[in-house]
Amino acid sequence: SQTIHQWPATLVQPVGSPLSLECTVEGTSNPNLYWYRQAAGRGLQLLFYSVGIGQISSEVPQNLSASRPQDRQFILSSKKLLLSDSGFYLCAWSDPAGGSYEQYFGPGTRLTVT
Amino acid sequence: AQKVTQAQTEISVVEKEDVTLDCVYETRDTTYYLFWYKQPPSGELVFLIRRNSFDEQNEISGRYSWNFQKSTSSFNFTITASQVVDSAVYFCALSEAVGDNYGQNFVFGPGTRLSVLP
């Protein structure tokens, strides 16, 4: 069966510090991968998605970036965090070849920028 | 562009009541997929159901049921005999095809917070 991992689970970082959040998927190949952000009490905002290694599409211009160095690894980064980067970050995967299309989410990382 | 509306921001019911969560969508595609997700207080989104645009059959799974009506662009979710464990935020979502890849164009509604009181 497939599983998706995210770490860390929680993170408190000062403004201006760098960020690296990691997401890995097990039990599937060539997944679509996604990063979402959810501000407190708000809906989901798609940040990045990837259909393959090195292929990243950005949905919202910001100081965040994403990379996919391996097929099942998706990394969200920032060189300098802003207060507005605080939120709940969710990674998700879907199987473009499986005929089902739903996204499956990881446990999330709660980021607080102070 | 596609859009998903969940007009109910928050709903409170007493345990054992039935509750319906509304979802209205907009799309220009004839082929699309609709989904419901549950986000309990722990934060992780849990996939509940998928429905494609060619299948308007209603579905029942235990206390959960879904009513898909293309004529009104709605995909409503009913919980029968609600329980405290149903308390969560529920998201409706829409996916359109981008070529053969349906995963790229995924839009979530704003969510409905359901509180089931004992």
Side-chain angles (χ1 to χ4, degrees):
Chain A
S1 64
Q2 300 87 4
T3 55
I4 178 169
H5 304 278
Q6 282 186 249
W7 64 91
T10 59
L11 193 59
V12 180
Q13 293 283 95
V15 167
S17 64
L19 173 74
S20 181
L21 303 181
E22 190 163 342
C23 170
T24 59
V25 181
E26 296 176 356
T28 187
S29 297
N30 304 314
N32 287 343
L33 296 172
Y34 311 83
W35 278 112
Y36 289 87
R37 177 170 60 200
Q38 186 177 31
R42 305 289 294 276
L44 292 156
Q45 179 187 34
L46 178 63
L47 302 175
F48 301 96
Y49 67 88
S50 172
V51 299
I53 295 174
Q55 300 178 61
I56 309 294
S57 295
S58 174
E59 291 294 302
V60 182
Q62 57 211 331
N63 68 318
L64 299 173
S65 62
S67 62
R68 184 171 177 173
Q70 300 180 45
D71 181 45
R72 289 168 288 178
Q73 183 185 29
F74 206 22
I75 297 172
L76 183 69
S77 304
S78 174
K79 293 182 179 178
K80 289 185 177 181
L81 283 169
L82 307 173
L83 284 174
S84 57
D85 291 324
S86 292
F88 190 50
Y89 287 82
L90 288 154
C91 181
W93 72 275
S94 67
D95 181 2
S100 56
Y101 314 121
E102 60 266 21
Q103 295 183 10
Y104 296 95
F105 286 80
T109 295
R110 204 163 297 277
L111 172 66
T112 303
V113 182
T114 60
Chain B
Q2 72 274 35
K3 183 180 177 181
V4 175
T5 301
Q6 294 178 256
Q8 305 147 309
T9 305
E10 295 190 30
I11 302 176
S12 287
V13 298
V14 177
E15 205 169 20
K16 298 185 183 178
E17 286 184 2
D18 299 347
V19 59
T20 295
L21 310 181
D22 298 332
C23 173
V24 173
Y25 62 93
E26 295 177 26
T27 178
R28 295 179 183 174
D29 276 12
T30 56
T31 303
Y32 52 89
Y33 286 78
L34 296 164
F35 309 85
W36 275 96
Y37 286 82
K38 174 182 180 180
Q39 187 178 37
S42 62
E44 183 173 346
L45 266 79
V46 177
F47 165 69
L48 296 178
I49 190 173
R50 173 189 78 248
R51 175 64 77 227
N52 74 52
S53 52
F54 298 111
D55 181 4
E56 286 193 76
Q57 268 195 322
N58 292 331
E59 182 157 340
I60 298 174
S61 176
R63 296 183 297 106
Y64 294 171
S65 62
W66 291 269
N67 184 350
F68 176 30
Q69 292 194 349
K70 288 180 74 171
S71 60
T72 56
S73 297
S74 64
F75 186 41
N76 296 339
F77 173 27
T78 297
I79 302 174
T80 303
S82 59
Q83 300 176 1
V84 173
V85 293
D86 295 326
S87 297
V89 180
Y90 291 87
F91 292 95
C92 181
L94 165 70
S95 176
E96 296 175 336
V98 178
D100 292 330
N101 192 331
Y102 282 83
Q104 294 172 253
N105 226 5
F106 213 93
V107 175
F108 282 87
T112 297
R113 182 177 299 277
L114 173 65
S115 298
V116 182
L117 307 174

